[in-house]
Amino acid sequence: VPRKNIKIETKLEKLSILDEHGQVDESLDPKLDGDKLLYMYRMMLTTRRLDERLLNMQRQGRIGTYAPIRGQEATQIGAVLGLRKSDWFIQAFREAGACVHRGWPVSKIIQFWGGYEEGCAVPEGINDAPIAVPVASQMPHVTGLAWAMKIKGKDDVTMGFVGDGGTSEGDFHEALTFAGVFKVPAIFVIANNQWAISIPRTRQTACRTLAQKAAGYGIDGIQVDGNDVLAVYVAAQEAIEKARAGRGPTLIEAVTYRLAMHTTADDPTKYRDPKEVEKWEKRDPLPRFEGYLRKRGVLDDKTIEGLETDIKELLKAGVDEYEASREVDPRDCFKFLYNDMPPELEAQRAEFDLALRREGLLADHQ
Ligand SMILES: Cc1ncc(C[n+]2csc(CCOP(=O)(O)OP(=O)(O)O)c2C)c(N)n1
Ligand SMILES: [Mg+2]
């Protein structure tokens, strides 16, 4: 029997619509209406300004830690815009902009990074999951939720985010294997920002792309320019429609870049070449989209000014609400481990309480 090449059925595409020089491929332009385009820009700008505010707040000691988004705005906004409210969105830990679009109050997002567990509680009526810090641990939930939609006979879909580093985790593999076999209505978005803290993308896999991993799970894969909001939007929209129609999951690799540090506890100058960052600064998704909108006559200086004012107000209200909710009771450290506290801890708690009162560190009503 002669050796033969095996034909792989999986579809694997690459999509870019608005390139880094601002050139749009007219044949691929989804030609969205002005309001939709403007909303996209508003959300990308909101993400950028929220990110800057959170980074500043961390540096001022007003929140504990933070994982910046800078550079990845198009990936998350382009992806979630096509979801319905009843669809599910499962974040990793760098998707605050997408969460604002999904209806999360800004104050709640700040609470999480401020270290308050209230920041993990998903607001009523929003079909999202809280931030998942353990890398890729959210992936089985993406598949599970999508499977539940299928079992219930609903046409809702689930979209989940994971990083390039997350693709090396067992959870990623298990989630995609199961999703392929059971043909669940899921959209897996890899925000490939080229780095997993100090580990470059080339150390995550010997594959040329992350999108091609789809073939191993028997599902479709697509690589998109993650800094091109139109390309991300189109790819996500197609994947959402496909999932909704019962035609199974899709793996989307959004090629983007983390322009800032991994988190506020990291110094990327220790492990990456500043020239690489400079190269990616030129591919910043915001100015590129802004240029396109100006050419289309959807955006001008005055509109941008108005957006900046709105966003400033939104963020100020969020920060004020967060700071007002921030009355710290240090005794909470005893609160959440046991339902019935062991006697030795009970004694410690009482002693701690007395000490705090002695030092005047508790408000009268506490
Ligand atoms: C299971 C697990 N291992 C290690 C870590 C520490 N850690 C936090 S983020 C991160 C890198 C994640 O990289 P990637 O998936 O590419 O996401 P990115 O941070 O680039 O958005 C690591 C190793 C963790 N949070 N969870
Ligand atoms: Mg990464």
Side-chain angles (χ1 to χ4, degrees):
V1 186
R3 292 188 177 196
K4 288 182 190 159
N5 281 331
I6 296 175
K7 224 177 132 238
I8 296 171
E9 300 298 332
T10 305
K11 187 164 113 184
L12 185 67
E13 291 181 311
K14 184 173 176 164
L15 180 67
S16 156
I17 298 176
L18 180 63
D19 75 12
E20 59 182 287
H21 310 294
Q23 291 300 319
V24 68
D25 183 327
E26 290 291 339
S27 67
L28 295 174
D29 186 348
K31 306 225 162 52
L32 302 173
D33 67 51
D35 286 349
K36 181 125 195 162
L37 289 169
L38 203 54
Y39 180 75
M40 258 181 181
Y41 185 73
R42 174 188 284 270
M43 288 318 302
M44 283 170 68
L45 193 61
T46 303
T47 310
R48 175 67 55 97
R49 297 289 175 252
L50 170 64
D51 187 58
E52 290 164 350
R53 183 68 62 91
L54 283 165
L55 191 53
N56 285 341
M57 286 181 77
Q58 197 282 335
R59 295 312 191 210
Q60 292 161 351
R62 291 155 84 188
I63 56 173
T65 187
Y66 179 60
I69 301 169
R70 195 176 187 83
Q72 301 180 217
E73 296 85 353
T75 293
Q76 56 189 263
I77 297 304
V80 293
L81 280 196
L83 291 175
R84 298 196 300 219
K85 199 170 163 47
S86 55
D87 292 329
W88 285 80
F89 170 61
I90 311 301
Q91 57 181 321
F93 49 80
R94 221 182 277 282
E95 286 80 35
C99 288
V100 174
H101 163 71
R102 295 282 293 168
W104 289 64
V106 168
S107 57
K108 205 156 239 323
I109 293 165
I110 309 179
Q111 265 179 338
F112 177 88
W113 296 107
Y116 293 89
E117 63 160 41
E118 290 81 354
C120 287
V122 181
E124 202 66 41
I126 296 181
N127 285 351
D128 291 1
I131 283 182
V133 168
V135 172
S137 61
Q138 71 279 15
M139 298 304 278
H141 303 95
V142 180
T143 300
L145 279 160
W147 197 30
M149 295 303 114
K150 186 167 174 165
I151 291 169
K152 287 182 163 179
K154 289 188 170 180
D155 70 349
D156 290 328
V157 305
T158 305
M159 177 183 282
F161 262 63
V162 68
D164 44 304
T167 63
S168 300
E169 291 282 353
D171 278 345
F172 175 87
H173 177 63
E174 291 159 26
L176 272 92
T177 298
F178 197 102
V181 170
F182 290 86
K183 234 179 159 192
V184 303
I187 301 96
F188 300 96
V189 180
I190 304 170
N192 172 11
N193 63 7
Q194 314 299 332
W195 291 92
I197 313 184
S198 56
I199 308 296
R201 188 339 241 129
T202 48
R203 289 295 176 105
Q204 297 299 344
T205 175
C207 291
R208 231 175 70 202
T209 70
L210 294 172
Q212 75 198 70
K213 285 180 177 251
Y217 305 110
I219 69 174
D220 293 337
I222 182 164
Q223 188 187 57
V224 293
D225 178 346
N227 286 7
D228 169 4
V229 71
L230 296 177
V232 179
Y233 178 80
V234 168
Q237 190 64 37
E238 285 173 5
I240 290 167
E241 277 165 22
K242 189 179 92 182
R244 217 184 283 300
R247 287 186 283 115
T250 305
L251 178 64
I252 300 176
E253 175 193 1
V255 180
T256 181
Y257 194 78
R258 193 195 80 214
L259 287 173
M261 63 294 286
H262 168 72
T263 65
T264 45
D266 171 53
D267 175 5
T269 62
K270 296 269 188 287
Y271 57 80
R272 70 181 186 184
D273 186 349
K275 288 207 182 70
E276 181 185 289
V277 184
E278 266 171 47
K279 189 178 90 185
W280 281 93
E281 286 281 1
K282 296 196 182 92
R283 299 179 183 158
D284 186 329
L286 268 101
R288 187 190 309 190
F289 191 44
E290 188 188 312
Y292 168 84
L293 295 178
R294 282 183 190 269
K295 266 188 227 153
R296 290 244 350 226
V298 174
L299 198 67
D300 55 19
D301 289 348
K302 203 163 167 276
T303 317
I304 294 182
E305 216 175 281
L307 289 178
E308 293 280 14
T309 308
D310 290 356
I311 293 168
K312 215 176 253 174
E313 274 167 23
L314 175 82
L315 297 185
K316 185 178 182 323
V319 173
D320 288 350
E321 207 175 304
Y322 161 71
E323 303 222 295
S325 73
R326 210 158 79 101
E327 193 175 80
V328 178
D329 187 338
R331 294 169 304 180
D332 279 358
C333 66
F334 290 97
K335 220 162 142 182
F336 300 109
L337 196 53
Y338 293 100
N339 191 26
D340 301 311
M341 218 187 292
E344 64 276 15
L345 267 188
E346 191 61 70
Q348 279 182 30
R349 202 193 63 83
E351 201 178 315
F352 189 49
D353 192 283
L354 271 179
L356 290 170
R357 285 185 197 288
R358 203 168 45 233
E359 301 295 328
L361 292 172
L362 286 182
D364 289 344
H365 63 276
Q366 284 181 311

